[in-house]
Amino acid sequence: MRVGVLALQGAVREHRRALEKVGVESRVVKTVDDLKSLDGLVLPGGESSTMALLAEGPLLDALRRLSSSGLPMFGTCAGMILLADVVEGRLGSIIGGIDITVARNASGRQVDSFETTLSIDGVGSDVPAVFIRAPYITRLGLGVRVLARHDGVAVMARQGRILVASFHPELTEDLRVHRAFVGMIRELRGEGEPG
Ligand code: GLN
């Protein structure tokens, strides 16, 4: 299995490290060519508006095509903003693929960044999570399953082949969230959960 990590900006190295630790080959994705023959794609945190500008053109078109044609994708923080169908205050999605609305920098209203533990459906009841000027999900489409909440607000969700999280699992030593994404890819390929 080979999983790409979109490398326009942001926590690329940390995601690759986590994927490597769960036994999956990863590839840095900077061009349309790098997207060939991937089994999944991680879209890391960073600054979604910068990433949208850097990807503008053929790369963004290819990402949109892959999202709608069903490549499994996992967006963390800014990556979640890229995959949301609606971003508050913006006309149209950036990539889109999951039927949610997100508000950027939602946690910034209270504190800029914080660390907590979350209970994540199918992952664990004590998963460490780092929030950095995190987006929150403010609307959930009917087909979207919430996997975790923080203070009652949805912070992790899945719809079909798209997984999103408001937080940064790659900035902790805990590998369960990356393992869950790899498990999701295997499940979608009909290989079942890893043993
Ligand atoms: N606030 C950033 C944005 O709007 C996301 C922050 C992050 O990825 N850590 O894109």
Side-chain angles (χ1 to χ4, degrees):
M1 180 187 303
R2 190 182 299 121
V3 173
V5 180
L6 186 65
L8 298 169
Q9 190 230 10
V12 176
R13 200 176 341 120
E14 291 83 353
H15 272 295
R16 293 195 71 197
R17 216 181 99 237
L19 288 166
E20 189 187 309
K21 282 192 176 165
V22 302
V24 168
E25 190 190 326
S26 73
R27 183 204 285 157
V28 163
V29 171
K30 291 186 171 168
T31 66
V32 176
D33 261 9
D34 299 332
L35 286 166
K36 280 185 194 140
S37 54
L38 291 178
D39 300 294
L41 181 69
V42 172
L43 299 97
E47 197 58 44
S48 55
S49 46
T50 308
M51 289 199 233
L53 283 175
L54 291 173
E56 191 58 58
L59 182 59
L60 198 55
D61 293 342
L63 289 166
R64 286 179 178 138
R65 271 197 308 277
L66 285 172
S67 164
S68 54
S69 66
L71 179 71
M73 294 191 183
F74 178 29
T76 61
C77 204
M80 173 167 103
I81 300 171
L82 300 186
L83 291 174
D85 280 350
V86 184
V87 181
E88 283 186 18
R90 186 193 152 96
L91 216 58
S93 61
I94 301 170
I95 296 172
I98 181 163
D99 185 13
I100 58 172
T101 300
V102 297
R104 293 183 60 196
N105 303 324
S107 71
R109 282 181 218 137
Q110 292 161 346
V111 278
D112 213 36
S113 308
F114 59 91
E115 221 177 312
T116 186
T117 55
L118 298 172
S119 173
I120 305 178
D121 216 14
V123 176
S125 56
D126 57 348
V127 185
V130 177
F131 288 79
I132 304 170
R133 290 177 302 108
Y136 275 2
I137 301 171
T138 56
R139 181 194 61 89
L140 289 151
L142 282 179
V144 180
R145 188 157 70 96
V146 174
L147 301 177
R149 290 184 187 271
H150 176 70
D151 283 347
V153 179
V155 292
M156 185 167 177
R158 176 179 169 185
Q159 182 179 28
R161 291 165 183 263
I162 307 253
L163 182 68
V164 292
S166 297
F167 54 93
H168 291 263
E170 78 285 6
L171 298 184
T172 72
E173 292 302 314
D174 197 298
L175 298 170
R176 283 177 288 176
V177 172
H178 286 83
R179 214 170 268 136
F181 177 54
V182 171
M184 178 183 122
I185 298 174
R186 293 211 167 100
E187 167 209 312
L188 290 164
R189 290 170 15 151
E191 293 173 17
E193 293 294 328

